[in-house]
Amino acid sequence: MNQTASLDLPLPACNPWLAHSVTIDRITPEVAGVSTYHLRFVDPEAARNYRFRPGQFNMLYLPGVGESAISLSADPRGHVTWAHTVRTAGNVTQTLAKLGVGGSLGLRGPFGSCWPLDQAMGKDLILVAGGIGLPPLRPVIYEIAARRDEFASVAVLYGARTPDTLLYQAEYDAWRKAGIDLHLTADMSGAGWNGAVGVVPLLLDRLPLADAARTQVWMCGPEVMLKYTVKSALRRGIPAGNLWLSMERNMQCAIGLCGHCQLGPEFVCRNGPVFPWNRMAPYLDVKGL
Ligand SMILES: Cc1cc2nc3c(=O)[nH]c(=O)nc-3n(C[C@H](O)[C@H](O)[C@H](O)COP(=O)(O)OP(=O)(O)OC[C@H]3O[C@@H](n4cnc5c(N)ncnc54)[C@H](O)[C@@H]3O)c2cc1C
C-alpha cells in the first residue's frame, strides 16, 4: 500500500543519530553485483513521517559490520517502501547482499542536498549518468515523469561498461512514454546491442541543444566521466553555473565530523552530495584530495 506525499511539504527534520529499524520488503536483482533493496520502516510513525528529496542519501547500518552511504533510488512520491540500488563492494554491501527478504538493518537519514528541481522548471534539462551513478538520478526521473509539463526538453544520457550492465532496463519504455529522451551507450558492444558504443560524454557532444544558455546539466558517475561531461557541456556553450553534480566520495559519519569525505573546505556529506559544479571545480583536479 502506498501513501501519497507531496514534495511541497517541508521535510521533517532528521535526527542524524537515530538509526531506524527497517526490513527488506523486496529485492530486485538489477545487473550482476547490483540489486535494489526495497526497505520498509518497522515503526509505523517513522514510516509515516519519512520523506526525502531526489539526490539525498541514507546511511544503511549492518550491526557488527558497519555503515554505508547509499542514495535513495526510489520514487519520492511517498511509497511505504524505499528503494536503494546497491553495488556489492566491501563488507557492508556484501553482508547486505546475503540478507534475504525479511532481513533487518538500520537506516539513518535522509542526508544531504538535493537536485535543484525548482531551478530547472521551464528549462531544458539533461541528466548524465555513468554506471552506478544512475540511482541518485532515478528519483528525478520519477519526479519529472509525474510533472512533465513543468519542464521543457528532458534528456537522459546513460552509459555503462557493457550493454548488460545498464541499470533499470525494464523502465526505459515508461521513461520514453513520459516524454524523456533517453540515449544509451556502452563502452564495449555486446550481443544484440544496436546502441551507441563509447563513453557517456560523447552522447552530450552529439545531443542537439535548443538553447545552450537555458540548458541545465546534472550528472553523477565516476569522476573522470564528470570531468569530460563538464568539458563537453562548456564546449557546447552551456554556462558553468548550469552544471550540477553528485559526489560519491568515501563517507563515514554523514554529519561532517569525521572528514572522510572532505574536499577542500567542503564536506560532501554535509554540503553535498549535490553541488553546483563551480563549487567543486577547484578540488577535483587536485591529486590526493
Ligand atoms: C552520497 C553517496 C551516495 C552513494 N550512493 C550509492 C548507491 O546508491 N549505491 C551504491 O552501490 N553505492 C553508493 N555509494 C558508495 C558506497 O557508499 C560505497 O561503495 C560503500 O563504501 C560500500 O560499503 P562497503 O562497506 O560495502 O565497502 P567498503 O569496504 O567501504 O569499500 C569497498 C571498496 O570501495 C571503495 N569505496 C568506498 N567508498 C567508495 C565510494 N564512495 N566511491 C567509490 N569507491 C568507494 C573502497 O575504497 C574499497 O576499495 C554512495 C556513496 C556516497 C558518498
Side-chain angles (χ1 to χ4, degrees), residues 67-87:
E67 213 182 18
S68 281
I70 301 293
S71 303
L72 282 129
S73 60
D75 185 337
R77 295 188 162 245
H79 288 258
V80 171
T81 62
W82 302 96
H84 297 73
T85 302
V86 183
R87 179 172 55 197

Side-chain angles (χ1 to χ4, degrees), residues 28-289:
T28 310
E30 301 288 356
V31 300
V34 180
S35 291
T36 298
Y37 299 85
H38 304 266
L39 304 180
R40 180 186 284 266
F41 286 88
V42 172
D43 173 12
E45 196 186 338
R48 232 182 352 264
N49 291 335
Y50 189 82
R51 305 271 185 281
F52 79 99
R53 302 263 193 217
Q56 290 193 295
F57 66 94
N58 285 318
M59 296 300 288
L60 300 188
Y61 168 57
L62 275 297
V65 184
E67 213 182 18
S68 281
I70 301 293
S71 303
L72 282 129
S73 60
D75 185 337
R77 295 188 162 245
H79 288 258
V80 171
T81 62
W82 302 96
H84 297 73
T85 302
V86 183
R87 179 172 55 197
T88 306
N91 287 340
V92 172
T93 50
Q94 278 170 24
T95 309
L96 179 64
K98 288 182 198 138
L99 291 180
V101 169
S104 323
L105 56 153
L107 180 155
R108 291 193 295 136
F111 292 109
S113 56
C114 52
W115 298 106
L117 273 158
D118 47 348
Q119 289 193 25
M121 280 160 66
K123 302 200 177 123
D124 296 316
L125 176 60
I126 305 173
L127 308 180
V128 185
I132 195 77
L134 189 55
L137 283 162
R138 185 161 76 150
V140 174
I141 297 173
Y142 285 131
E143 188 58 20
I144 288 171
R147 299 161 49 187
R148 182 64 191 86
D149 52 349
E150 295 175 35
F151 302 86
S153 71
V154 179
V156 172
L157 314 183
Y158 178 47
R161 293 209 172 132
T162 52
D164 59 340
T165 56
L166 289 162
L167 292 172
Y168 311 135
Q169 298 194 27
E171 299 184 11
Y172 294 169
D173 280 349
W175 297 355
R176 288 188 171 114
K177 274 194 198 122
I180 292 167
D181 183 23
L182 175 64
H183 296 259
L184 302 169
T185 187
D187 295 354
M188 287 170 284
S189 190
W193 179 245
N194 297 318
V197 176
V199 293
V200 188
L202 293 174
L203 295 177
L204 183 56
D205 288 344
R206 296 178 203 137
L207 189 76
L209 302 181
D211 180 355
R214 54 159 223 169
T215 300
Q216 293 263 324
V217 179
W218 301 351
M219 58 198 116
C220 186
E223 284 181 21
V224 63
M225 185 212 88
L226 300 178
K227 187 172 157 179
Y228 284 98
T229 301
V230 167
K231 278 185 197 263
S232 170
L234 296 176
R235 218 172 27 239
R236 302 291 309 276
I238 300 172
N242 292 6
L243 310 180
W244 292 74
L245 50 80
S246 178
M247 299 290 302
E248 297 211 336
R249 281 281 170 139
N250 282 320
M251 193 178 285
Q252 224 158 69
C253 72
I255 50 177
L257 293 179
C258 74
H260 276 81
C261 65
Q262 193 173 358
L263 268 179
E266 305 281 6
F267 286 77
V268 173
C269 62
R270 201 177 52 198
N271 311 123
V274 177
F275 287 98
W277 164 254
N278 284 337
R279 248 169 80 188
M280 277 292 113
Y283 312 111
L284 285 181
D285 277 336
V286 182
K287 290 227 169 357
L289 260 188

